[in-house]
């Protein structure tokens, strides 16, 4: 039929050019759209059927290209890319903004007492563990022991950093104390992500040529991928944990905030949410999802193998993760 949608659209790849920052930003604004958390099971199932049928060469009557791409992003927001299983709702990328705005807002509000610092750092790392497990790679699955080690290490690192800086901050201006949660979160990310992906650091991650042909596994590529993810995660936290403390420090001196101190937490959470709506997709877009490195930067034995099997290949590609 002349009006039928073409089967040549590649929905395995993002809709926008991932070679540019703007293309990656548009992609991640769709992936992290918090409205997807509110979608019903029926809507998610409908999107799954549309996507799986299209991949099988079956096009729903009257389906437009925009509707196909919408279904693809709804599907990607709720179903695991490797296993196809529906993901736990708070572990989905679309839940990042509402969950992080609540947790981060509380970390920035309740930072004055030691029990509050310990509790909210524990809540944050528990949430991170759920996200990391939900978005685990099917190619390099996370074991329960690895998950537990990363969880305990990151929580301990975050709490020790927070309490250590909190004691130092008592001798500094009050505004400095407000930045203690950010330092703790940054420290936890530097611990949590490498621990969670330690299998990749030991055995490497798959590297391919530009056509997607697998050339081997590289631990050097894994190191580059993990560094990029750590930078992105810390970058996401910067606006949400650096801007609201400055604003709140000024607001708390105002008469209306002194009269209604109960507004402190809601205002803080709202400010964090506003920052995260933009920071989350923009920082995910800092580096291409399909990252690359020169063959000369790989392990010597892998370089030799590639020279023998694919002598014209000078650059390899790999999935950096999120």
């Amino acid at each position: 039929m002349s009006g039928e949608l073409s089967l040549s659209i590649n929905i395995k790849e993002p809709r926008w050019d991932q070679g540019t920052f703007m293309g990656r930003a548009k992609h991640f604004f769709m992936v992290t759209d918090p409205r997807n958390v509110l979608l019903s099971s029926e809507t998610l199932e409908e999107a799954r059927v549309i996507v799986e049928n299209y991949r099988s060469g079956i096009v729903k009557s009257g389906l437009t290209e925009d509707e196909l791409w919408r279904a693809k992003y709804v599907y990607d927001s709720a179903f695991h890319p490797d296993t196809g299983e529906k993901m736990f709702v708070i572990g989905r990328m679309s839940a990042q903004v509402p969950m992080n705005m609540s947790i981060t807002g509380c970390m920035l509000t309740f930072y004055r007492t030691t029990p509050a610092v310990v509790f909210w750092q524990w809540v944050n790392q528990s949430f991170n563990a759920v996200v990391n497990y939900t978005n685990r790679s099917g190619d390099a699955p996370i074991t329960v022991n690895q998950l537990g080690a990363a969880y305990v290490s990151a929580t301990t690192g975050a709490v020790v950093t927070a309490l250590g800086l909190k004691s130092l901050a008592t001798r500094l201006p009050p505004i400095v104390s407000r930045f203690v949660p950010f330092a703790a979160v940054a420290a936890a990310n530097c611990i949590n992500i490498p621990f969670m992906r330690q299998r990749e650091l030991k055995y490497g991650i798959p590297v391919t040529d530009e056509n997607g042909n697998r050339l081997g596994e590289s631990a050097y590529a894994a190191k580059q991928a993990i560094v990029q993810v750590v930078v992105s995660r810390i970058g996401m936290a910067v606006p949400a944990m650096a801007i609201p403390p400055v604003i709140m420090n000024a607001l708390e001196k105002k008469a209306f905030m002194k009269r209604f101190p109960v507004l402190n937490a809601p205002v803080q959470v709202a400010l964090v949410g506003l920052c995260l709506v933009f920071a989350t997709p923009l920082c995910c877009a800092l580096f291409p999802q399909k990252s690359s490195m020169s063959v000369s930067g790989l392990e010597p034995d892998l370089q030799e193998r590639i020279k023998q099997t694919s002598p014209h290949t000078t650059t390899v590609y790999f999935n950096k993760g999120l």
Side-chain angles (χ1 to χ4, degrees):
M1 291 176 65
S2 59
E4 195 168 295
L5 189 65
S6 168
L7 287 170
S8 63
I9 300 170
N10 184 11
I11 59 171
K12 290 182 180 179
E13 297 293 331
R15 186 173 191 177
W16 297 278
D17 179 13
Q18 298 300 284
T20 68
F21 176 76
M22 284 305 298
R24 296 194 295 272
K26 288 178 181 177
H27 168 68
F28 281 109
F29 266 107
M30 291 291 289
V31 170
T32 62
D33 187 345
R35 293 174 298 177
N36 288 339
V37 174
L38 303 175
L39 296 176
S40 66
S41 297
E42 291 76 17
T43 302
L44 296 178
E45 182 62 21
E46 183 183 358
R48 185 188 67 79
V49 170
I50 290 173
V51 169
E52 292 183 354
N53 282 351
Y54 187 83
R55 288 172 178 170
S56 303
I58 304 168
V59 180
K60 179 183 175 183
S61 178
L63 185 71
T64 66
E65 184 174 348
D66 284 341
E67 288 172 342
L68 173 65
W69 281 112
R70 172 60 183 160
K72 177 249 191 318
Y73 276 104
V74 167
Y75 175 85
D76 288 350
S77 77
F79 295 90
H80 193 281
D82 295 325
T83 65
E85 297 174 355
K86 188 183 290 186
M87 294 184 286
F88 186 48
V89 64
I90 68 169
R92 300 173 190 171
M93 287 305 293
S94 52
Q96 286 289 294
V97 171
M99 289 300 298
N100 274 323
M101 69 183 280
S102 303
I103 296 170
T104 303
C106 289
M107 280 196 293
L108 293 175
T109 303
F110 308 109
Y111 65 93
R112 290 184 173 91
T113 66
T114 298
V117 169
V118 172
F119 176 75
W120 285 109
Q121 290 296 336
W122 168 74
V123 169
N124 187 46
Q125 292 311 316
S126 298
F127 170 63
N128 284 343
V130 171
V131 172
N132 288 330
Y133 183 75
T134 303
N135 293 281
R136 66 197 182 280
S137 169
D139 200 57
I142 301 170
T143 66
V144 173
N145 287 340
Q146 289 172 336
L147 188 69
Y151 174 61
V152 171
S153 301
T155 304
T156 303
V159 170
V160 169
T161 302
L163 294 180
L165 291 176
K166 182 175 178 293
S167 64
L168 290 174
T170 56
R171 297 186 291 274
L172 297 171
I175 184 67
V176 176
S177 298
R178 291 182 175 274
F179 291 95
V180 167
F182 168 68
V185 167
N189 277 326
C190 292
I191 298 168
N192 191 318
I193 296 168
F195 256 96
M196 194 62 65
R197 298 176 65 173
Q198 59 184 294
R199 188 180 187 279
E200 297 175 22
L201 290 170
K202 185 176 181 180
Y203 298 107
I205 56 176
V207 293
T208 67
D209 61 18
E210 59 182 2
N211 297 316
N213 299 310
R214 191 160 174 164
L215 302 173
E217 291 76 35
S218 170
Y220 289 6
K223 290 177 185 176
Q224 179 174 308
I226 289 169
V227 168
Q228 290 178 350
V229 171
V230 169
V231 170
S232 294
R233 292 278 189 97
I234 293 174
M236 287 179 207
V238 170
M241 302 192 83
I243 296 173
V246 175
I247 296 174
M248 289 305 298
N249 200 56
L251 285 179
E252 285 180 0
K253 297 172 184 176
K254 303 294 183 182
F256 78 94
M257 286 297 284
K258 290 179 179 178
R259 198 179 311 132
F260 304 106
V262 72
L263 292 175
N264 193 307
V267 171
Q268 189 107 249
V269 169
L271 287 171
V272 169
L274 184 63
C275 292
L276 285 173
V277 164
F278 297 97
T280 300
L282 293 177
C283 287
C284 281
L286 286 175
F287 305 100
Q289 188 65 36
K290 187 178 180 182
S291 198
S292 64
M293 67 186 299
S294 171
V295 170
S296 61
L298 299 172
E299 295 88 331
D301 60 325
L302 183 56
Q303 288 185 44
E304 288 302 317
R305 233 185 308 155
I306 292 173
K307 286 177 183 176
Q308 292 174 9
T309 59
S310 185
H312 300 297
T313 299
T314 57
T315 303
V316 294
Y317 300 88
F318 52 90
N319 179 10
K320 73 173 176 63
L322 285 173

